[in-house]
Amino acid sequence: MPREPAVTRNSVLPSRRDWLRIGVSASLGLTLPRAGAKPSAGTTGPGFGRAKSVVVIFTSGGQSQLDTWDPKPDAPAEIRGAFRTVQTANPELRVCEHLPRMAALANRFAVLRSMTHNDLDHGSACYLALTGQFHPQRSSNPPPRPTDFPALGAVLKRIRPAEHFPHTAVHVNGPLLAPIEVSPGQYGGFLGRGYEPAELGNVTDTDRLVASLSLPPDVPVERLHSRRDLLAKLDPGTKADPLTRKAFELVNAPRVRAALDLDREPEKLRDRYGRHRSGQACLMARRLVEAGVPWTTVFFNHGIRGQDDHPDDTDEYGWDTHNDIFDSLKAHLLPRFDHSVSTFLEDMAVRGLLESTLVVVMGEFGRAPLVAVEKSFAGRGSPGRKHWGACYSVLLAGAGIVPGALYGKSDRIAAYPQAEPTTPGDLAATMFHALGVEPDAHYTDATDRPYRAVTGTPITKLFH
């Protein structure tokens, strides 16, 4: 069956008139204690406020827990899969043989093996992962809507905007496509466009990226200010418009342009990260942390499954591996992931940034224990694993996370948690906890209805 045309971001996101119609304003205020204020006694616990920044490396499509961080080498072949495992410094942790660099860094990160939820399609599950909230249409692929819950980075901007950078949250290597349509959960939702994370897209073309934020040679700063004043006179509404204000801030901020200029990095280091979309996106994340961005999401794969249309382009591969899982993992996904993410962790540690940055490697769900051929998908000659939300794994590092720790436990085939079941809401709460956001922090919508910043419970046992 032919696919429908890809839905573009502009075709699914609201216009300025839409936002005015629903009454979303940038003046929405907190109704309960402001995040970052002096903590109340007894509400924090280990790890509270240890992070200045959070970096989420999002493995779009559903990274298989069995073929990465929670292998079952003693299980039957139809569960175990095609790969062997390697031992790490932790006697209780073996990982996939195709992750040797990450295996060598096992004393730098913790593995959470008991993530669980019941949403089984990419769009709504990505929404859950990126907002911490279930979508009203579970197990579906809905478009972004102005009534959506805001992305976690948008919530953070609402309750505690960045002090030293024009953007509180930045999304790199997006927008995320699921599979060819823009996924919900990446935007400002009912908070409005002014709270959306900045979207950098493909950062391998650093010349284009920096040029887009630079003034033309014939427009000095003084003329820019004159143009802004003239625009305000012609259309007074633009003076308070958050998107217009943000645009002027960006083109008049040399520090921002410097942060986004990957050409300032040594050639050898850029090579270490990998001269591809995923690797350079991880490098950009490190630069954004240095620049003072509190929340960065790296879509390690900008699409969940682009390999159907572009089987020879590794940049297009996602972790939605149905009938081609072992070939895709071995030849495309695991080597690039192992190379780039290990370099990111090493680089962050060497620069002293890991101590104040919480790094979370996660996807929207995992893969099914049973290896089987799915007749409704391409590549029927090569088996794979179905979507699986009941049990999957997440990596965490930095900001007081106990290095080398294992948290939670799956059953003998990695199908269900046996201990410490953890929801996406709990993971969102853990990230906000690390940033020093109090558990009772709230924000309000256009009707003054209060919402908790996060709805889960922080996993304080992960911190020392």
Side-chain angles (χ1 to χ4, degrees), residues 235-271:
D235 185 0
T238 61
K239 188 172 183 180
D241 179 58
L243 297 182
T244 302
R245 185 172 65 251
K246 187 182 300 182
F248 277 108
E249 287 175 348
L250 287 176
V251 299
N252 193 30
R255 185 165 173 266
V256 173
R257 295 195 297 274
L260 303 185
D261 189 357
L262 293 178
D263 285 339
R264 292 173 178 251
E265 294 290 336
E267 293 293 314
K268 289 184 178 181
L269 184 59
R270 293 192 69 180
D271 291 341

PDB file of all heavy atoms in Angstrom, residues 235-271:
ATOM      1  N   ASP A 235       3.293  47.115  13.676  1.00  0.00           N
ATOM      2  CA  ASP A 235       2.467  46.039  14.243  1.00  0.00           C
ATOM      3  C   ASP A 235       2.793  45.932  15.727  1.00  0.00           C
ATOM      4  O   ASP A 235       3.664  45.157  16.130  1.00  0.00           O
ATOM      5  CB  ASP A 235       2.760  44.721  13.527  1.00  0.00           C
ATOM      6  CG  ASP A 235       1.843  43.583  14.006  1.00  0.00           C
ATOM      7  OD1 ASP A 235       0.998  43.839  14.878  1.00  0.00           O
ATOM      8  OD2 ASP A 235       1.996  42.459  13.492  1.00  0.00           O
ATOM      9  N   PRO A 236       2.116  46.720  16.567  1.00  0.00           N
ATOM     10  CA  PRO A 236       2.447  46.742  18.007  1.00  0.00           C
ATOM     11  C   PRO A 236       2.415  45.364  18.660  1.00  0.00           C
ATOM     12  O   PRO A 236       3.105  45.118  19.644  1.00  0.00           O
ATOM     13  CB  PRO A 236       1.365  47.658  18.593  1.00  0.00           C
ATOM     14  CG  PRO A 236       0.934  48.516  17.450  1.00  0.00           C
ATOM     15  CD  PRO A 236       1.020  47.638  16.234  1.00  0.00           C
ATOM     16  N   GLY A 237       1.635  44.451  18.089  1.00  0.00           N
ATOM     17  CA  GLY A 237       1.550  43.127  18.690  1.00  0.00           C
ATOM     18  C   GLY A 237       2.843  42.354  18.650  1.00  0.00           C
ATOM     19  O   GLY A 237       3.063  41.453  19.459  1.00  0.00           O
ATOM     20  N   THR A 238       3.719  42.676  17.707  1.00  0.00           N
ATOM     21  CA  THR A 238       4.964  41.925  17.594  1.00  0.00           C
ATOM     22  C   THR A 238       5.912  42.191  18.755  1.00  0.00           C
ATOM     23  O   THR A 238       6.800  41.396  19.031  1.00  0.00           O
ATOM     24  CB  THR A 238       5.688  42.265  16.281  1.00  0.00           C
ATOM     25  OG1 THR A 238       6.013  43.664  16.260  1.00  0.00           O
ATOM     26  CG2 THR A 238       4.816  41.933  15.088  1.00  0.00           C
ATOM     27  N   LYS A 239       5.744  43.332  19.418  1.00  0.00           N
ATOM     28  CA  LYS A 239       6.661  43.674  20.512  1.00  0.00           C
ATOM     29  C   LYS A 239       6.571  42.656  21.636  1.00  0.00           C
ATOM     30  O   LYS A 239       7.570  42.328  22.298  1.00  0.00           O
ATOM     31  CB  LYS A 239       6.342  45.068  21.036  1.00  0.00           C
ATOM     32  CG  LYS A 239       7.357  45.593  22.038  1.00  0.00           C
ATOM     33  CD  LYS A 239       7.096  47.041  22.371  1.00  0.00           C
ATOM     34  CE  LYS A 239       8.158  47.590  23.312  1.00  0.00           C
ATOM     35  NZ  LYS A 239       7.925  49.013  23.645  1.00  0.00           N
ATOM     36  N   ALA A 240       5.356  42.139  21.869  1.00  0.00           N
ATOM     37  CA  ALA A 240       5.178  41.147  22.925  1.00  0.00           C
ATOM     38  C   ALA A 240       5.186  39.724  22.402  1.00  0.00           C
ATOM     39  O   ALA A 240       5.121  38.783  23.177  1.00  0.00           O
ATOM     40  CB  ALA A 240       3.853  41.415  23.665  1.00  0.00           C
ATOM     41  N   ASP A 241       5.263  39.578  21.079  1.00  0.00           N
ATOM     42  CA  ASP A 241       5.229  38.237  20.491  1.00  0.00           C
ATOM     43  C   ASP A 241       6.500  37.485  20.841  1.00  0.00           C
ATOM     44  O   ASP A 241       7.610  37.937  20.512  1.00  0.00           O
ATOM     45  CB  ASP A 241       5.093  38.333  18.973  1.00  0.00           C
ATOM     46  CG  ASP A 241       5.085  36.950  18.326  1.00  0.00           C
ATOM     47  OD1 ASP A 241       4.215  36.150  18.685  1.00  0.00           O
ATOM     48  OD2 ASP A 241       5.967  36.688  17.491  1.00  0.00           O
ATOM     49  N   PRO A 242       6.391  36.329  21.517  1.00  0.00           N
ATOM     50  CA  PRO A 242       7.609  35.632  21.973  1.00  0.00           C
ATOM     51  C   PRO A 242       8.474  35.135  20.833  1.00  0.00           C
ATOM     52  O   PRO A 242       9.695  35.092  20.943  1.00  0.00           O
ATOM     53  CB  PRO A 242       7.057  34.475  22.811  1.00  0.00           C
ATOM     54  CG  PRO A 242       5.653  34.285  22.347  1.00  0.00           C
ATOM     55  CD  PRO A 242       5.163  35.640  21.948  1.00  0.00           C
ATOM     56  N   LEU A 243       7.877  34.737  19.702  1.00  0.00           N
ATOM     57  CA  LEU A 243       8.676  34.235  18.590  1.00  0.00           C
ATOM     58  C   LEU A 243       9.468  35.348  17.928  1.00  0.00           C
ATOM     59  O   LEU A 243      10.630  35.168  17.567  1.00  0.00           O
ATOM     60  CB  LEU A 243       7.767  33.546  17.573  1.00  0.00           C
ATOM     61  CG  LEU A 243       7.028  32.301  18.069  1.00  0.00           C
ATOM     62  CD1 LEU A 243       6.203  31.703  16.945  1.00  0.00           C
ATOM     63  CD2 LEU A 243       8.001  31.277  18.609  1.00  0.00           C
ATOM     64  N   THR A 244       8.842  36.539  17.771  1.00  0.00           N
ATOM     65  CA  THR A 244       9.564  37.674  17.197  1.00  0.00           C
ATOM     66  C   THR A 244      10.708  38.093  18.107  1.00  0.00           C
ATOM     67  O   THR A 244      11.826  38.344  17.662  1.00  0.00           O
ATOM     68  CB  THR A 244       8.602  38.855  16.984  1.00  0.00           C
ATOM     69  OG1 THR A 244       7.540  38.445  16.125  1.00  0.00           O
ATOM     70  CG2 THR A 244       9.323  40.032  16.362  1.00  0.00           C
ATOM     71  N   ARG A 245      10.421  38.169  19.399  1.00  0.00           N
ATOM     72  CA  ARG A 245      11.464  38.554  20.355  1.00  0.00           C
ATOM     73  C   ARG A 245      12.613  37.557  20.334  1.00  0.00           C
ATOM     74  O   ARG A 245      13.793  37.921  20.372  1.00  0.00           O
ATOM     75  CB  ARG A 245      10.855  38.648  21.751  1.00  0.00           C
ATOM     76  CG  ARG A 245      11.831  39.159  22.812  1.00  0.00           C
ATOM     77  CD  ARG A 245      11.127  39.407  24.132  1.00  0.00           C
ATOM     78  NE  ARG A 245      10.602  38.186  24.717  1.00  0.00           N
ATOM     79  CZ  ARG A 245       9.305  37.905  24.791  1.00  0.00           C
ATOM     80  NH1 ARG A 245       8.413  38.734  24.316  1.00  0.00           N
ATOM     81  NH2 ARG A 245       8.908  36.776  25.353  1.00  0.00           N
ATOM     82  N   LYS A 246      12.270  36.280  20.253  1.00  0.00           N
ATOM     83  CA  LYS A 246      13.292  35.236  20.229  1.00  0.00           C
ATOM     84  C   LYS A 246      14.174  35.353  18.990  1.00  0.00           C
ATOM     85  O   LYS A 246      15.399  35.181  19.053  1.00  0.00           O
ATOM     86  CB  LYS A 246      12.608  33.866  20.259  1.00  0.00           C
ATOM     87  CG  LYS A 246      13.531  32.692  20.416  1.00  0.00           C
ATOM     88  CD  LYS A 246      12.723  31.397  20.377  1.00  0.00           C
ATOM     89  CE  LYS A 246      11.708  31.341  21.489  1.00  0.00           C
ATOM     90  NZ  LYS A 246      10.955  30.061  21.469  1.00  0.00           N
ATOM     91  N   ALA A 247      13.551  35.672  17.841  1.00  0.00           N
ATOM     92  CA  ALA A 247      14.318  35.809  16.603  1.00  0.00           C
ATOM     93  C   ALA A 247      15.334  36.930  16.710  1.00  0.00           C
ATOM     94  O   ALA A 247      16.496  36.782  16.307  1.00  0.00           O
ATOM     95  CB  ALA A 247      13.371  36.056  15.437  1.00  0.00           C
ATOM     96  N   PHE A 248      14.928  38.074  17.249  1.00  0.00           N
ATOM     97  CA  PHE A 248      15.859  39.185  17.403  1.00  0.00           C
ATOM     98  C   PHE A 248      16.960  38.843  18.401  1.00  0.00           C
ATOM     99  O   PHE A 248      18.123  39.223  18.221  1.00  0.00           O
ATOM    100  CB  PHE A 248      15.106  40.443  17.855  1.00  0.00           C
ATOM    101  CG  PHE A 248      14.466  41.197  16.729  1.00  0.00           C
ATOM    102  CD1 PHE A 248      13.095  41.188  16.557  1.00  0.00           C
ATOM    103  CD2 PHE A 248      15.244  41.925  15.830  1.00  0.00           C
ATOM    104  CE1 PHE A 248      12.496  41.876  15.510  1.00  0.00           C
ATOM    105  CE2 PHE A 248      14.664  42.619  14.789  1.00  0.00           C
ATOM    106  CZ  PHE A 248      13.286  42.594  14.621  1.00  0.00           C
ATOM    107  N   GLU A 249      16.623  38.115  19.459  1.00  0.00           N
ATOM    108  CA  GLU A 249      17.637  37.727  20.441  1.00  0.00           C
ATOM    109  C   GLU A 249      18.712  36.855  19.806  1.00  0.00           C
ATOM    110  O   GLU A 249      19.905  37.016  20.078  1.00  0.00           O
ATOM    111  CB  GLU A 249      16.980  36.979  21.599  1.00  0.00           C
ATOM    112  CG  GLU A 249      16.162  37.856  22.528  1.00  0.00           C
ATOM    113  CD  GLU A 249      15.443  37.033  23.578  1.00  0.00           C
ATOM    114  OE1 GLU A 249      15.409  35.788  23.435  1.00  0.00           O
ATOM    115  OE2 GLU A 249      14.905  37.614  24.527  1.00  0.00           O
ATOM    116  N   LEU A 250      18.282  35.935  18.954  1.00  0.00           N
ATOM    117  CA  LEU A 250      19.224  34.990  18.367  1.00  0.00           C
ATOM    118  C   LEU A 250      20.194  35.652  17.399  1.00  0.00           C
ATOM    119  O   LEU A 250      21.392  35.394  17.437  1.00  0.00           O
ATOM    120  CB  LEU A 250      18.463  33.868  17.666  1.00  0.00           C
ATOM    121  CG  LEU A 250      17.784  32.857  18.592  1.00  0.00           C
ATOM    122  CD1 LEU A 250      16.983  31.863  17.785  1.00  0.00           C
ATOM    123  CD2 LEU A 250      18.795  32.136  19.450  1.00  0.00           C
ATOM    124  N   VAL A 251      19.680  36.515  16.497  1.00  0.00           N
ATOM    125  CA  VAL A 251      20.577  37.123  15.515  1.00  0.00           C
ATOM    126  C   VAL A 251      21.435  38.213  16.129  1.00  0.00           C
ATOM    127  O   VAL A 251      22.397  38.676  15.504  1.00  0.00           O
ATOM    128  CB  VAL A 251      19.789  37.695  14.319  1.00  0.00           C
ATOM    129  CG1 VAL A 251      19.034  36.600  13.612  1.00  0.00           C
ATOM    130  CG2 VAL A 251      18.845  38.815  14.755  1.00  0.00           C
ATOM    131  N   ASN A 252      21.127  38.620  17.349  1.00  0.00           N
ATOM    132  CA  ASN A 252      21.913  39.666  17.996  1.00  0.00           C
ATOM    133  C   ASN A 252      22.680  39.104  19.192  1.00  0.00           C
ATOM    134  O   ASN A 252      22.968  39.809  20.144  1.00  0.00           O
ATOM    135  CB  ASN A 252      20.982  40.797  18.456  1.00  0.00           C
ATOM    136  CG  ASN A 252      21.759  42.046  18.854  1.00  0.00           C
ATOM    137  OD1 ASN A 252      22.840  42.312  18.322  1.00  0.00           O
ATOM    138  ND2 ASN A 252      21.220  42.807  19.797  1.00  0.00           N
ATOM    139  N   ALA A 253      22.992  37.805  19.151  1.00  0.00           N
ATOM    140  CA  ALA A 253      23.670  37.168  20.281  1.00  0.00           C
ATOM    141  C   ALA A 253      24.887  36.403  19.779  1.00  0.00           C
ATOM    142  O   ALA A 253      24.776  35.227  19.410  1.00  0.00           O
ATOM    143  CB  ALA A 253      22.711  36.227  21.012  1.00  0.00           C
ATOM    144  N   PRO A 254      26.056  37.035  19.738  1.00  0.00           N
ATOM    145  CA  PRO A 254      27.266  36.336  19.274  1.00  0.00           C
ATOM    146  C   PRO A 254      27.551  35.068  20.068  1.00  0.00           C
ATOM    147  O   PRO A 254      28.066  34.088  19.519  1.00  0.00           O
ATOM    148  CB  PRO A 254      28.364  37.381  19.480  1.00  0.00           C
ATOM    149  CG  PRO A 254      27.655  38.698  19.482  1.00  0.00           C
ATOM    150  CD  PRO A 254      26.309  38.439  20.093  1.00  0.00           C
ATOM    151  N   ARG A 255      27.184  35.057  21.350  1.00  0.00           N
ATOM    152  CA  ARG A 255      27.448  33.882  22.177  1.00  0.00           C
ATOM    153  C   ARG A 255      26.638  32.680  21.684  1.00  0.00           C
ATOM    154  O   ARG A 255      27.105  31.542  21.741  1.00  0.00           O
ATOM    155  CB  ARG A 255      27.084  34.212  23.625  1.00  0.00           C
ATOM    156  CG  ARG A 255      27.433  33.112  24.630  1.00  0.00           C
ATOM    157  CD  ARG A 255      27.387  33.673  26.038  1.00  0.00           C
ATOM    158  NE  ARG A 255      27.544  32.617  27.018  1.00  0.00           N
ATOM    159  CZ  ARG A 255      26.532  31.983  27.608  1.00  0.00           C
ATOM    160  NH1 ARG A 255      25.300  32.317  27.303  1.00  0.00           N
ATOM    161  NH2 ARG A 255      26.747  31.036  28.499  1.00  0.00           N
ATOM    162  N   VAL A 256      25.430  32.937  21.199  1.00  0.00           N
ATOM    163  CA  VAL A 256      24.608  31.852  20.678  1.00  0.00           C
ATOM    164  C   VAL A 256      25.228  31.300  19.401  1.00  0.00           C
ATOM    165  O   VAL A 256      25.360  30.092  19.223  1.00  0.00           O
ATOM    166  CB  VAL A 256      23.172  32.343  20.411  1.00  0.00           C
ATOM    167  CG1 VAL A 256      22.361  31.254  19.713  1.00  0.00           C
ATOM    168  CG2 VAL A 256      22.495  32.742  21.719  1.00  0.00           C
ATOM    169  N   ARG A 257      25.633  32.196  18.504  1.00  0.00           N
ATOM    170  CA  ARG A 257      26.241  31.747  17.257  1.00  0.00           C
ATOM    171  C   ARG A 257      27.517  30.968  17.527  1.00  0.00           C
ATOM    172  O   ARG A 257      27.803  29.971  16.860  1.00  0.00           O
ATOM    173  CB  ARG A 257      26.528  32.956  16.357  1.00  0.00           C
ATOM    174  CG  ARG A 257      25.265  33.662  15.894  1.00  0.00           C
ATOM    175  CD  ARG A 257      25.546  34.596  14.727  1.00  0.00           C
ATOM    176  NE  ARG A 257      26.457  35.664  15.086  1.00  0.00           N
ATOM    177  CZ  ARG A 257      26.087  36.814  15.642  1.00  0.00           C
ATOM    178  NH1 ARG A 257      24.800  37.028  15.915  1.00  0.00           N
ATOM    179  NH2 ARG A 257      26.961  37.756  15.918  1.00  0.00           N
ATOM    180  N   ALA A 258      28.277  31.402  18.513  1.00  0.00           N
ATOM    181  CA  ALA A 258      29.506  30.683  18.854  1.00  0.00           C
ATOM    182  C   ALA A 258      29.198  29.281  19.377  1.00  0.00           C
ATOM    183  O   ALA A 258      29.882  28.313  19.046  1.00  0.00           O
ATOM    184  CB  ALA A 258      30.301  31.468  19.891  1.00  0.00           C
ATOM    185  N   ALA A 259      28.151  29.166  20.187  1.00  0.00           N
ATOM    186  CA  ALA A 259      27.790  27.865  20.751  1.00  0.00           C
ATOM    187  C   ALA A 259      27.387  26.879  19.666  1.00  0.00           C
ATOM    188  O   ALA A 259      27.632  25.669  19.774  1.00  0.00           O
ATOM    189  CB  ALA A 259      26.659  28.021  21.758  1.00  0.00           C
ATOM    190  N   LEU A 260      26.783  27.384  18.588  1.00  0.00           N
ATOM    191  CA  LEU A 260      26.288  26.503  17.535  1.00  0.00           C
ATOM    192  C   LEU A 260      27.302  26.251  16.428  1.00  0.00           C
ATOM    193  O   LEU A 260      27.010  25.531  15.471  1.00  0.00           O
ATOM    194  CB  LEU A 260      25.017  27.100  16.922  1.00  0.00           C
ATOM    195  CG  LEU A 260      23.861  27.387  17.884  1.00  0.00           C
ATOM    196  CD1 LEU A 260      22.641  27.851  17.113  1.00  0.00           C
ATOM    197  CD2 LEU A 260      23.530  26.183  18.743  1.00  0.00           C
ATOM    198  N   ASP A 261      28.485  26.807  16.558  1.00  0.00           N
ATOM    199  CA  ASP A 261      29.492  26.691  15.507  1.00  0.00           C
ATOM    200  C   ASP A 261      30.395  25.490  15.776  1.00  0.00           C
ATOM    201  O   ASP A 261      31.397  25.579  16.497  1.00  0.00           O
ATOM    202  CB  ASP A 261      30.312  27.973  15.437  1.00  0.00           C
ATOM    203  CG  ASP A 261      31.241  28.005  14.232  1.00  0.00           C
ATOM    204  OD1 ASP A 261      31.277  26.994  13.494  1.00  0.00           O
ATOM    205  OD2 ASP A 261      31.925  29.028  14.035  1.00  0.00           O
ATOM    206  N   LEU A 262      30.055  24.358  15.176  1.00  0.00           N
ATOM    207  CA  LEU A 262      30.843  23.148  15.386  1.00  0.00           C
ATOM    208  C   LEU A 262      32.227  23.246  14.759  1.00  0.00           C
ATOM    209  O   LEU A 262      33.122  22.463  15.116  1.00  0.00           O
ATOM    210  CB  LEU A 262      30.110  21.932  14.811  1.00  0.00           C
ATOM    211  CG  LEU A 262      28.810  21.536  15.502  1.00  0.00           C
ATOM    212  CD1 LEU A 262      28.180  20.342  14.779  1.00  0.00           C
ATOM    213  CD2 LEU A 262      29.039  21.191  16.961  1.00  0.00           C
ATOM    214  N   ASP A 263      32.428  24.180  13.846  1.00  0.00           N
ATOM    215  CA  ASP A 263      33.747  24.338  13.236  1.00  0.00           C
ATOM    216  C   ASP A 263      34.788  24.833  14.236  1.00  0.00           C
ATOM    217  O   ASP A 263      35.989  24.793  13.948  1.00  0.00           O
ATOM    218  CB  ASP A 263      33.673  25.315  12.054  1.00  0.00           C
ATOM    219  CG  ASP A 263      33.021  24.678  10.834  1.00  0.00           C
ATOM    220  OD1 ASP A 263      33.007  23.430  10.761  1.00  0.00           O
ATOM    221  OD2 ASP A 263      32.526  25.413   9.967  1.00  0.00           O
ATOM    222  N   ARG A 264      34.345  25.271  15.394  1.00  0.00           N
ATOM    223  CA  ARG A 264      35.290  25.681  16.443  1.00  0.00           C
ATOM    224  C   ARG A 264      35.906  24.481  17.150  1.00  0.00           C
ATOM    225  O   ARG A 264      36.846  24.646  17.933  1.00  0.00           O
ATOM    226  CB  ARG A 264      34.575  26.570  17.473  1.00  0.00           C
ATOM    227  CG  ARG A 264      34.152  27.933  16.918  1.00  0.00           C
ATOM    228  CD  ARG A 264      33.298  28.692  17.917  1.00  0.00           C
ATOM    229  NE  ARG A 264      32.945  30.012  17.412  1.00  0.00           N
ATOM    230  CZ  ARG A 264      33.428  31.160  17.880  1.00  0.00           C
ATOM    231  NH1 ARG A 264      34.307  31.138  18.881  1.00  0.00           N
ATOM    232  NH2 ARG A 264      33.050  32.315  17.375  1.00  0.00           N
ATOM    233  N   GLU A 265      35.362  23.309  16.899  1.00  0.00           N
ATOM    234  CA  GLU A 265      35.882  22.096  17.525  1.00  0.00           C
ATOM    235  C   GLU A 265      37.063  21.546  16.729  1.00  0.00           C
ATOM    236  O   GLU A 265      37.102  21.657  15.502  1.00  0.00           O
ATOM    237  CB  GLU A 265      34.788  21.028  17.590  1.00  0.00           C
ATOM    238  CG  GLU A 265      33.622  21.376  18.489  1.00  0.00           C
ATOM    239  CD  GLU A 265      33.992  21.354  19.960  1.00  0.00           C
ATOM    240  OE1 GLU A 265      34.977  20.647  20.316  1.00  0.00           O
ATOM    241  OE2 GLU A 265      33.314  22.012  20.754  1.00  0.00           O
ATOM    242  N   PRO A 266      38.029  20.914  17.392  1.00  0.00           N
ATOM    243  CA  PRO A 266      39.145  20.275  16.674  1.00  0.00           C
ATOM    244  C   PRO A 266      38.637  19.198  15.722  1.00  0.00           C
ATOM    245  O   PRO A 266      37.680  18.479  16.020  1.00  0.00           O
ATOM    246  CB  PRO A 266      39.989  19.661  17.808  1.00  0.00           C
ATOM    247  CG  PRO A 266      39.607  20.419  19.038  1.00  0.00           C
ATOM    248  CD  PRO A 266      38.170  20.800  18.854  1.00  0.00           C
ATOM    249  N   GLU A 267      39.278  19.094  14.586  1.00  0.00           N
ATOM    250  CA  GLU A 267      38.861  18.122  13.579  1.00  0.00           C
ATOM    251  C   GLU A 267      38.887  16.693  14.140  1.00  0.00           C
ATOM    252  O   GLU A 267      37.993  15.885  13.860  1.00  0.00           O
ATOM    253  CB  GLU A 267      39.778  18.214  12.356  1.00  0.00           C
ATOM    254  CG  GLU A 267      39.656  19.527  11.585  1.00  0.00           C
ATOM    255  CD  GLU A 267      38.298  19.674  10.930  1.00  0.00           C
ATOM    256  OE1 GLU A 267      37.826  18.702  10.310  1.00  0.00           O
ATOM    257  OE2 GLU A 267      37.704  20.764  11.048  1.00  0.00           O
ATOM    258  N   LYS A 268      39.912  16.383  14.933  1.00  0.00           N
ATOM    259  CA  LYS A 268      40.015  15.028  15.472  1.00  0.00           C
ATOM    260  C   LYS A 268      38.850  14.702  16.405  1.00  0.00           C
ATOM    261  O   LYS A 268      38.365  13.557  16.431  1.00  0.00           O
ATOM    262  CB  LYS A 268      41.345  14.852  16.199  1.00  0.00           C
ATOM    263  CG  LYS A 268      42.555  14.805  15.266  1.00  0.00           C
ATOM    264  CD  LYS A 268      43.828  14.525  16.057  1.00  0.00           C
ATOM    265  CE  LYS A 268      45.031  14.429  15.120  1.00  0.00           C
ATOM    266  NZ  LYS A 268      46.290  14.136  15.862  1.00  0.00           N
ATOM    267  N   LEU A 269      38.409  15.703  17.175  1.00  0.00           N
ATOM    268  CA  LEU A 269      37.296  15.451  18.080  1.00  0.00           C
ATOM    269  C   LEU A 269      36.004  15.267  17.300  1.00  0.00           C
ATOM    270  O   LEU A 269      35.189  14.391  17.624  1.00  0.00           O
ATOM    271  CB  LEU A 269      37.144  16.596  19.081  1.00  0.00           C
ATOM    272  CG  LEU A 269      36.064  16.390  20.156  1.00  0.00           C
ATOM    273  CD1 LEU A 269      36.347  15.143  20.968  1.00  0.00           C
ATOM    274  CD2 LEU A 269      35.960  17.615  21.062  1.00  0.00           C
ATOM    275  N   ARG A 270      35.810  16.046  16.259  1.00  0.00           N
ATOM    276  CA  ARG A 270      34.620  15.868  15.429  1.00  0.00           C
ATOM    277  C   ARG A 270      34.618  14.478  14.792  1.00  0.00           C
ATOM    278  O   ARG A 270      33.572  13.838  14.677  1.00  0.00           O
ATOM    279  CB  ARG A 270      34.546  16.957  14.358  1.00  0.00           C
ATOM    280  CG  ARG A 270      34.317  18.354  14.915  1.00  0.00           C
ATOM    281  CD  ARG A 270      33.967  19.348  13.825  1.00  0.00           C
ATOM    282  NE  ARG A 270      32.643  19.067  13.273  1.00  0.00           N
ATOM    283  CZ  ARG A 270      32.091  19.792  12.306  1.00  0.00           C
ATOM    284  NH1 ARG A 270      32.768  20.809  11.767  1.00  0.00           N
ATOM    285  NH2 ARG A 270      30.888  19.501  11.859  1.00  0.00           N
ATOM    286  N   ASP A 271      35.809  14.016  14.417  1.00  0.00           N
ATOM    287  CA  ASP A 271      35.911  12.669  13.860  1.00  0.00           C
ATOM    288  C   ASP A 271      35.567  11.613  14.912  1.00  0.00           C
ATOM    289  O   ASP A 271      34.936  10.596  14.599  1.00  0.00           O
ATOM    290  CB  ASP A 271      37.319  12.421  13.326  1.00  0.00           C
ATOM    291  CG  ASP A 271      37.630  13.239  12.083  1.00  0.00           C
ATOM    292  OD1 ASP A 271      36.684  13.713  11.424  1.00  0.00           O
ATOM    293  OD2 ASP A 271      38.826  13.430  11.788  1.00  0.00           O
TER     294      ASP A 271
END
